[in-house]
Amino acid sequence: MKVPVRFSVNGDDRDLYIGAHKTLMEVLRDDLELTGTKEGCGNGNCGACTINLDGKAVNACLILGVEADGHEVQTIEGVSEDGTLHPLQQAFIEESALQCGFCTPGFIMSAKVFLEQNPSPSEQEIRTAIAGNLCRCTGYDKIVRAIQAAAKLA
Amino acid sequence: MQPFDYAAPPTLEEALQILSQASGLVRPIAGGTDLIAQIKERRIAPSLVLNVKEIAEANVLDYDPGQGLRIGAAVSCSDVASYAPVAAHYPSLAQACLLVGSTQIQNRGSVGGNVCNAAPSADTVPPLLTYDAVAVIAGPGGSRRVPLEDFFQGPGKTALQPQELLIEVLLPPPLPNSNSRYLRFIPREEMDIAVAGVGSMVAVDPQTNTCTRARIALASVAPTPIRAKEAERRLEGSPLTEEAIREAGELAASACSPISDIRGSAAYRKELVKVLTRRTLSQSLPR
């Protein structure tokens, strides 16, 4: 079954005709070619597919594309402005908070929503906020430091 | 995923009509955080996925001091946890909502979905049971109310008939001078499934200092979430002394029938129930 949907992605309205069984992650990656959103586990454990849906961090692998109809999505591709990196993106580079980079878009999407709600968090609050994002390369200290640095910049 | 049909009816009437006319397996979707994972794992193969998030009744979140709390079936764990009356009047429910999965899961997954998924480990269920929650179920013949205690029939099995939908969960107003606590044990800090979970709720008469109502509910230690009624009876009518709380812990441990699995042995789980019952009771003495 194919279903017509319209939703906003990074500020642009998109009209699509998609299989009802396709996840939002598949729609973003395959139909819209926004491949910054990654599939890690595909079952909501790793957070590599974290996106912003109506102002909340969610796992795009556990949402149907058709469920996005009428809603607003922001992906990692919509985070920088006019070629200028978001403070979180800059902080991840400066703190070397990534190695292979696969988990990074998800971490930045989680951290961005979190800092918007809690601009000066404690280290423990940051660690709780990113508990749904897994990194298998660096450990988490540099990621936490990058989020702390971005919080100070903002 | 295997293909399926999809509907997002705007009213309850239309949703019930779709359910009554469907020939294959229909699965309602609220947050989808359990359902989509189960379809991907091929544990279920619905022919139709029915989005209930457009139905007004499923989005109600309302507290009235005389009526209590109404939680529409599609309201997310995050929204329930951040609703001020929940933290004020049903503290253990807010605590449990913030333990379900990650922030991403809490933002999407609903309390109603946690109930309908009927996992023995569902974190939001012990708090709901301790507040004598009632499931409001809509079906072809109208709506019916089922005490949540009777809703669970086994792992993944509920009192819902194929043509019925959970619409909301009702919690009566909390008793005066009452408080509650939910604790679970997991071997890490976040993102795990309870080895054992305990919710306690107690009300105390400030004149006599005796317990007027006690509710203790257990997760992950039986085929369904259960109440520990003998432990409750030990406390009701008595002062909440250290001795009474210790005995309630023992009685709660004997009320459960855990299995041994990868998360822990049956004996370990009973020990956890004993300790968590004592801790939740001590921490839910009215403020």
Side-chain angles (χ1 to χ4, degrees):
Chain A
M1 181 186 195
K2 282 203 157 191
V3 183
V5 294
R6 169 180 282 196
F7 56 95
S8 153
V9 182
N10 299 327
D12 296 327
D13 278 343
R14 308 299 294 255
D15 288 290
L16 297 166
Y17 191 55
I18 55 173
H21 63 293
K22 295 291 183 189
T23 63
L24 181 54
M25 188 204 64
E26 291 170 316
V27 172
L28 291 171
R29 287 181 58 85
D30 302 340
D31 296 80
L32 298 174
E33 298 183 352
L34 295 170
T35 53
T37 301
K38 306 300 184 191
E39 177 172 33
C41 65
N43 62 19
N45 277 286
C46 80
C49 66
T50 303
I51 56 156
N52 180 326
L53 179 71
D54 299 335
K56 289 179 174 172
V58 295
N59 293 317
C61 76
L62 292 183
I63 295 174
L64 299 175
V66 288
E67 290 183 278
D69 188 36
H71 294 272
E72 284 186 22
V73 171
Q74 186 185 51
T75 67
I76 189 69
E77 287 88 349
V79 168
S80 65
E81 281 183 37
D82 303 326
T84 305
L85 293 180
H86 185 274
L88 268 166
Q89 292 173 306
Q90 194 61 45
F92 268 63
I93 294 169
E94 284 166 15
E95 299 291 331
S96 303
L98 64 154
Q99 210 172 91
C100 84
F102 193 83
C103 68
T104 311
F107 269 100
I108 288 178
M109 296 313 290
S110 283
K112 184 168 176 288
V113 175
F114 170 65
L115 289 182
E116 283 161 6
Q117 293 163 353
N118 188 349
S120 43
S122 68
E123 180 185 335
Q124 188 53 50
E125 286 171 329
I126 293 172
R127 288 184 181 272
T128 302
I130 60 172
N133 293 81
L134 300 183
C135 171
R136 298 283 88 141
C137 299
T138 68
Y140 299 94
D141 284 1
K142 291 177 174 180
I143 293 170
V144 171
R145 281 206 291 276
I147 297 170
Q148 287 174 317
K152 287 191 187 106
L153 283 175
Chain B
M1 276 187 287
Q2 290 192 6
F4 46 74
D5 289 345
Y6 173 82
T11 65
L12 179 57
E13 290 68 29
E14 285 167 84
L16 293 172
Q17 199 175 9
I18 291 168
L19 272 173
S20 67
Q21 288 167 355
S23 49
L25 177 68
V26 183
R27 279 287 157 147
I29 188 170
T33 53
D34 281 313
L35 179 68
I36 293 176
Q38 287 163 5
I39 297 173
K40 286 185 176 188
E41 291 162 12
R42 299 181 183 225
R43 288 162 59 191
I44 49 168
S47 56
L48 174 72
V49 170
L50 182 70
N51 183 351
V52 298
K53 289 188 291 295
E54 306 296 321
I55 301 171
E57 291 90 333
N59 290 297
V60 169
L61 179 61
D62 181 60
Y63 174 72
D64 177 283
Q67 301 293 315
L69 180 67
R70 296 172 62 197
I71 306 172
V75 179
S76 73
C77 289
S78 299
D79 285 346
V80 173
S82 60
Y83 185 52
V86 172
H89 303 299
Y90 308 90
S92 61
L93 179 60
Q95 293 155 13
C97 284
L98 296 176
L99 292 174
V100 176
S102 59
T103 301
Q104 291 95 317
I105 299 291
Q106 291 154 20
N107 281 340
R108 196 73 185 160
S110 66
V111 170
N114 200 223
V115 167
C116 289
N117 191 51
S121 56
D123 285 310
T124 67
V125 171
L128 294 174
L129 288 174
T130 63
Y131 283 105
D132 295 341
V134 173
V136 181
I137 296 169
S143 78
R144 64 188 180 110
R145 294 180 172 211
V146 176
L148 206 61
E149 207 189 327
D150 303 326
F151 184 80
F152 303 103
Q153 300 184 341
K157 293 199 169 64
T158 70
L160 282 173
Q161 298 298 309
Q163 298 187 353
E164 291 182 323
L165 278 177
L166 178 74
I167 286 304
E168 61 181 33
V169 177
L170 297 180
L171 280 70
L175 295 181
N177 301 303
S178 65
N179 196 359
S180 65
R181 185 82 170 107
Y182 177 72
L183 289 173
R184 70 170 182 194
F185 179 81
I186 57 174
R188 52 198 291 204
E189 285 191 33
E190 297 279 350
M191 289 286 287
D192 209 343
I193 292 168
V195 182
V198 178
S200 290
M201 189 288 298
V202 292
V204 172
D205 180 340
Q207 307 294 316
T208 62
N209 213 23
T210 58
C211 173
T212 53
R213 187 183 295 172
R215 291 285 183 273
I216 300 166
L218 317 176
S220 273
V221 290
T224 67
I226 54 164
R227 294 250 310 269
K229 292 187 179 175
E230 283 190 34
E232 295 170 359
R233 281 195 288 270
R234 168 64 187 86
L235 299 173
E236 288 178 348
S238 308
L240 292 170
T241 60
E242 217 170 285
E243 174 70 7
I245 286 173
R246 193 185 59 74
E247 284 180 30
E250 304 278 346
L251 289 166
S254 30
C256 65
S257 52
I259 56 168
S260 295
D261 67 8
I262 189 167
R263 294 198 170 82
S265 68
Y268 184 55
R269 286 188 152 111
K270 276 188 179 266
E271 187 63 25
L272 283 172
V273 166
K274 197 189 299 181
V275 173
L276 293 176
T277 300
R278 290 201 302 252
R279 282 186 196 164
T280 52
L281 286 170
S282 307
Q283 293 174 24
S284 53
L285 299 181
R287 291 164 287 194

